[in-house]
Amino acid sequence: MLNTSRAAAALPSPVVPAPAGHAEGVTADEFRAAMSRLAAGVVLVTAQEPPLDPDDPSAPGGEDVGMTATAFLSVSLDPPLVLVSLREGARMDDLLAEQPLWAVSVLTESQRHIAGRFAMKGRISDRLLFEDIPYVRGEVSGAPLVGGALATLECRTEQRVTAGDHTLVIGRVLAARVPSAEGGPLMYFRGRYRQLG
């Protein structure tokens, strides 16, 4: 005679399907809502495209490219490393796959318009976006450094790591400056730009 309790214990447990969205059970909307509660600083990541023909000095230079980012952090003090997360296939992701030098400007609360401009979807060309923004060109990276930023960093890519639908770009900081002590940082919280206080 078959022991039904032992037979039942030997059968595999029924598989409960995960909610649509992610295999582990969290939906994109749930994840986005939870992460929107994490306040983050706002930076402008910039780089200069390589010249169209590096062997021809008369060939036109590459265009400046900029991107607003909130997923930016310090990784290491020795050596000085930072990390920025880029959406896979974004223009900046493609550019930094071929151009190892880039820069970061830590934006102030009065530079919300710059953050919004470089975060627009279906935006105009980057050349026009930089047109009326005061900046200097980084001595190391050649990338634009926003005037009045709280801090600027010039970096060289050390490592690129694919993580889901993003690329984590780890850069060695080659130059760091604190050009402005005025104002507080621009923050991003619950889907909006904000300021401290």
Side-chain angles (χ1 to χ4, degrees):
M1 180 170 175
L2 178 65
N3 184 331
T4 54
S5 62
R6 280 192 182 161
L11 292 175
S13 301
V15 175
V16 178
H22 293 84
E24 298 300 319
V26 65
T27 67
D29 288 342
E30 290 167 337
F31 180 64
R32 190 178 293 112
M35 294 310 296
S36 75
R37 271 44 175 195
L38 177 65
V42 183
V43 302
L44 184 68
V45 180
T46 55
Q48 186 180 44
E49 289 180 327
L52 297 176
D53 184 356
D55 297 327
D56 180 2
S58 64
E63 191 171 70
D64 292 323
V65 178
M67 182 201 86
T68 302
T70 56
F72 174 77
L73 57 101
S74 167
V75 173
S76 167
L77 185 60
D78 186 16
L81 299 175
V82 292
L83 177 149
V84 65
S85 179
L86 307 174
R87 186 174 43 80
E88 191 175 71
R91 184 168 184 202
M92 186 63 74
D93 182 36
D94 292 342
L95 175 55
L96 295 191
E98 62 173 301
Q99 163 62 284
L101 297 174
W102 45 283
V104 173
S105 298
V106 180
L107 300 180
T108 69
E109 57 199 7
S110 66
Q111 294 175 321
R112 178 184 306 214
H113 64 289
I114 295 174
R117 179 183 293 193
F118 284 90
M120 285 188 304
K121 289 184 176 146
R123 63 194 200 191
I124 57 176
S125 80
D126 283 71
R127 181 179 50 78
L128 296 175
L129 293 177
F130 280 104
E131 205 165 66
D132 61 348
I133 293 174
Y135 68 85
V136 296
R137 199 160 291 287
E139 294 175 15
V140 178
S141 65
L145 305 173
V146 176
L150 287 176
T152 61
L153 305 165
E154 294 185 78
C155 308
R156 182 185 64 234
T157 300
E158 293 270 303
Q159 192 176 357
R160 291 172 55 87
V161 179
T162 300
D165 58 3
H166 276 62
T167 303
L168 307 180
V169 179
I170 300 170
R172 180 181 292 250
V173 178
L174 305 175
R177 294 178 189 83
V178 183
S180 175
E182 298 301 314
L186 181 61
M187 305 296 292
Y188 193 72
F189 179 68
R190 295 184 73 173
R192 291 180 50 203
Y193 297 118
R194 302 176 188 260
Q195 58 191 62
L196 290 179

